[in-house]
Amino acid sequence: MLVPVDGGNLTVEIHDGDTAPVLAIHGVSGSRKLWNWVAAHGISLIAPDLRGRGDSASLTGGTMKQHADDMVRVLDALDLDSVTVAGMSMGGYVAVDLAVRHPDRVRALVLVDGGFPMPMHAQMTEEILSAALAPQLAARERTWTVDEYLAVQAMVNKAIDPTDSLIREYFAHDLTPDGHLALSGETLLTDTRDVVFGTSRWQELTVPTWFVHAEWSTGPGSAPAYSPEQAAGFRAALPVLREPVLIGGVDHGGTVMTAAGAAVTAEVIAEALK
C-alpha cells in the first residue's frame, strides 16, 4: 500500500499473521524485505520501505526524526492508535525516536542490534564514515543483474546464504527494473551521519522495551556491535528495559536474515506482544 508522507508516498507491505500488528522498521541500507524471515513465524507485520530505499527510493530526505514522523503517518493510514514496534539497526534508532516523541503510539518496543549507542560510533570521523560508505555509493553507479549483485554480497559477507530464496528476494528488491540500486545516496549519507554523530534518546524511553543483540558484527569472530557487558549496562540504566537477549552464532544482519536469528527475534517480539 502507499501512504502519503511529506514529499510523496511511502510504500508499505502488510504481512498477515497470527498476532496483533507490529510496525517493523529496517536498517540504513536495507528494505522492508528484511523482515520476511520474521514474518515466516506468523508475526503480523507492517513493513515500510523507508524513504530513500526500495519502492520508496524516490522520496528524499532523512534523519531519525523524519523517518519517525513517516511512521506516525503509516499508523494513521491504518487507523492504528498504538502498536508494538520492532526496529533493526538504524530502524532501532528510528523506533527510539518514535517511542520518545510519541509514546502514546508505541505500546512496546523491540530493538534488534540497534537503538542504543554503539561503541564503534565513538571512534568515527567524517573521513572514516565516508570511506565506509564508499562501496555502497560506488555500487549505485553501475547496473546489476540479481545474480551479480547477490554474488558480490555473498563474497563480502560469508554469513549470507545465497541458496536461501528469501536472501535472493531481499537483494532482488534492492534493484530497480533497469538494474540500478534502489537507494538514495543522499539519504544514506544523511541517515548514517544522524545515527553515528547524533544522540540516541534511549534514556528517555518510558515504554516496555526488549533488546536483542548478535554475537558478531560482520561474520564469525568479528567484534559485536554490542557486548553482553554493554547490554547489561543498558539494562541497569533503563528501568523499562527487559533482560537483553544475545543471539549466539549470528552476526548483525543474521539477527533477522537467518532462520536461527529470526526464530529468536520472533520469539522476543511475541513476548513483547503479550
Side-chain angles (χ1 to χ4, degrees):
M1 66 178 289
L2 297 179
V3 174
V5 296
D6 291 344
N9 293 312
L10 204 69
T11 299
V12 180
E13 184 173 3
I14 307 296
H15 295 269
D16 293 322
D18 306 319
T19 69
V22 175
L23 177 61
I25 309 172
H26 65 72
V28 68
S29 59
S31 74
R32 68 179 192 259
K33 298 298 182 181
L34 180 80
W35 298 100
N36 284 358
W37 291 261
V38 173
H41 289 269
I43 307 292
S44 299
L45 297 178
I46 304 160
D49 274 337
L50 297 183
R51 60 175 62 225
R53 287 91 170 168
D55 291 331
S56 305
S58 62
L59 276 172
T60 58
T63 76
M64 302 309 98
K65 181 180 183 298
Q66 178 65 72
H67 293 304
D69 288 344
D70 290 345
M71 296 305 97
V72 172
R73 297 284 190 90
V74 171
L75 297 181
D76 288 345
L78 293 168
D79 293 321
L80 293 169
D81 293 329
S82 179
V83 297
T84 294
V85 177
M88 189 269 174
S89 192
M90 184 199 79
Y93 297 91
V94 175
V96 167
D97 190 85
L98 175 63
V100 168
R101 292 196 296 114
H102 303 280
D104 57 316
R105 309 306 297 269
V106 180
R107 63 174 300 278
L109 192 62
V110 179
L111 302 176
V112 184
D113 232 27
F116 293 105
M118 288 187 185
M120 69 181 70
H121 291 169
Q123 313 301 320
M124 278 286 185
T125 64
E126 275 287 349
E127 291 74 19
I128 295 173
L129 183 63
S130 296
L133 294 178
Q136 284 178 298
L137 294 173
R140 298 176 63 256
E141 302 304 317
R142 58 160 288 182
T143 58
W144 301 85
T145 67
V146 175
D147 287 337
E148 289 170 342
Y149 188 58
L150 178 55
V152 168
Q153 296 300 325
M155 183 171 58
V156 171
N157 187 346
K158 301 301 182 184
I160 288 175
D161 178 6
T163 66
D164 182 346
S165 61
L166 292 182
I167 285 284
R168 185 176 183 85
E169 180 181 350
Y170 175 82
F171 286 114
H173 186 65
D174 278 356
L175 301 178
T176 64
D178 63 358
H180 286 93
L181 284 191
L183 175 67
S184 162
E186 173 193 347
T187 304
L188 176 67
L189 285 166
T190 301
D191 283 342
T192 305
R193 288 187 178 113
D194 196 22
V195 168
V196 172
F197 302 122
T199 301
S200 172
R201 301 177 65 181
W202 66 275
Q203 291 173 302
E204 300 175 55
L205 288 169
T206 58
V207 303
T209 302
W210 281 257
F211 180 47
V212 180
H213 59 115
E215 181 178 359
W216 311 309
S217 55
T218 53
S222 58
Y226 304 98
S227 70
E229 293 76 21
Q230 288 153 353
F234 300 139
R235 172 77 171 89
L238 186 63
V240 296
L241 180 61
R242 275 45 176 178
E243 190 66 30
V245 176
L246 172 66
I247 308 181
V250 303
D251 65 4
H252 182 68
T255 55
V256 287
M257 293 174 65
T258 63
V264 176
T265 296
E267 184 178 353
V268 173
I269 292 174
E271 178 65 26
L273 282 164
K274 291 179 182 178

